[in-house]
Amino acid sequence: MKFFVDTAEIDAIAELNDLGMVDGVTTNPSLIMKSGRDILEVTKEICDLVDGPVSAEVVATKAEDMIAEGRKLAGIADNIAVKVPLTWDGLKACKVLSSEGNMVNVTLCFSANQALLAAKVGATFISPFIGRLDDIDIDGMDLIADIRLIYDNYGYDTQILAASIRTVNHVTESARIGADVITAPPGVIRKLAEHPLTDNGLAVFMADWAKTGQKIL
Ligand code: G3P
């Protein structure tokens, strides 16, 4: 499973990238706002840092304007995936941008039917938002499973990019279902390494080691 990092914070991306954990990066207008950076500058820096796809989102709402913004964003680097919202205009923009050879990430997906449409217009990635469905008491994992089933039924090669991941369980479940990619904040990725029994076991080892009076170095 590929790991994308859901942030525009360069330091956090760089740390995970050094560990070989970054297969790509996703950003959105909210994450650009949080970074306090200029979208074109920070996106270029991210693209220079990582080899994989870097999603940069359009902010226009009409198809022709999305297409113009998407072309500009795609011009930043070869590894840009233009992100468009799952609206009718967004689907039109996806069709044009993907036909021109750009990677396109269709975002804000909340239903299997929306995902089906994104595949039909040539999306490279579909981004179902798990956490935001959980927020309204709908199990976001059911959507990932439905999309997996439907895409496999018909052989669509649009990649399922599980997004709005808030917990480590979202990652486990996405992997069990077979999502192609997860995008998660750096904090969630770091938490994947944690387990209370690891902490307890290490504390016991350290206490016993101290009793030996030995040193390795
Ligand atoms: O990848 C989408 C993500 O940035 C949205 O996450 O937690 O704001 O729902 P969240």
Side-chain angles (χ1 to χ4, degrees):
M1 187 171 62
K2 284 179 270 191
F3 273 24
F4 288 2
V5 193
D6 198 30
T7 187
E9 304 294 337
I10 294 285
D11 290 351
I13 296 167
E15 184 191 5
L16 292 167
N17 196 46
D18 286 347
L19 290 168
M21 288 183 184
V22 178
D23 299 305
V25 173
T26 50
T27 67
N28 61 38
S30 302
L31 294 172
I32 295 294
M33 183 272 293
K34 277 186 204 156
S35 76
R37 300 282 312 276
D38 174 85
I39 183 172
L40 300 178
E41 283 176 17
V42 74
T43 304
K44 173 83 174 97
E45 271 182 50
I46 297 169
C47 288
D48 287 346
L49 193 60
V50 307
D51 294 330
V54 174
S55 289
E57 187 161 343
V58 302
V59 290
T61 53
K62 294 221 174 342
E64 60 268 31
D65 299 330
M66 288 184 196
I67 293 163
E69 287 183 353
R71 287 176 180 148
K72 180 164 183 178
L73 292 170
I76 294 173
D78 288 345
N79 55 335
I80 284 285
V82 179
K83 211 171 179 189
V84 300
L86 212 155
T87 58
W88 199 250
D89 280 82
L91 293 170
K92 286 181 182 173
C94 176
K95 179 69 181 169
V96 172
L97 290 165
S98 60
S99 304
E100 290 174 353
N102 300 295
M103 289 187 284
V104 181
N105 177 357
V106 180
T107 189
L108 290 167
C109 171
F110 294 96
S111 79
N113 285 335
Q114 288 181 316
L116 193 48
L117 291 178
K120 290 192 76 68
V121 293
T124 315
F125 302 104
I126 182 68
S127 289
F129 274 33
I130 301 170
R132 293 194 193 183
L133 281 170
D134 289 353
D135 288 344
I136 57 165
D137 295 326
I138 294 173
D139 188 346
M141 299 319 309
D142 288 347
L143 175 58
I144 304 293
D146 284 349
I147 300 171
R148 180 75 283 155
L149 179 70
I150 290 167
Y151 280 8
D152 288 350
N153 279 349
Y154 297 100
Y156 289 120
D157 56 11
T158 298
Q159 296 179 50
I160 302 173
L161 199 175
S164 184
I165 282 190
R166 311 262 179 82
T167 69
V168 293
N169 288 340
H170 283 155
V171 178
T172 314
E173 288 306 308
S174 295
R176 284 169 63 93
I177 292 166
D180 301 283
V181 192
I182 55 107
T183 189
V188 171
I189 294 176
R190 275 194 293 270
K191 265 202 178 137
L192 297 175
E194 295 176 9
H195 196 286
L197 292 180
T198 304
D199 297 339
N200 293 348
L202 189 58
V204 171
F205 286 159
M206 292 302 98
D208 288 344
W209 180 249
K211 289 175 200 159
T212 72
Q214 297 180 46
K215 284 189 181 348
I216 293 176
L217 290 175

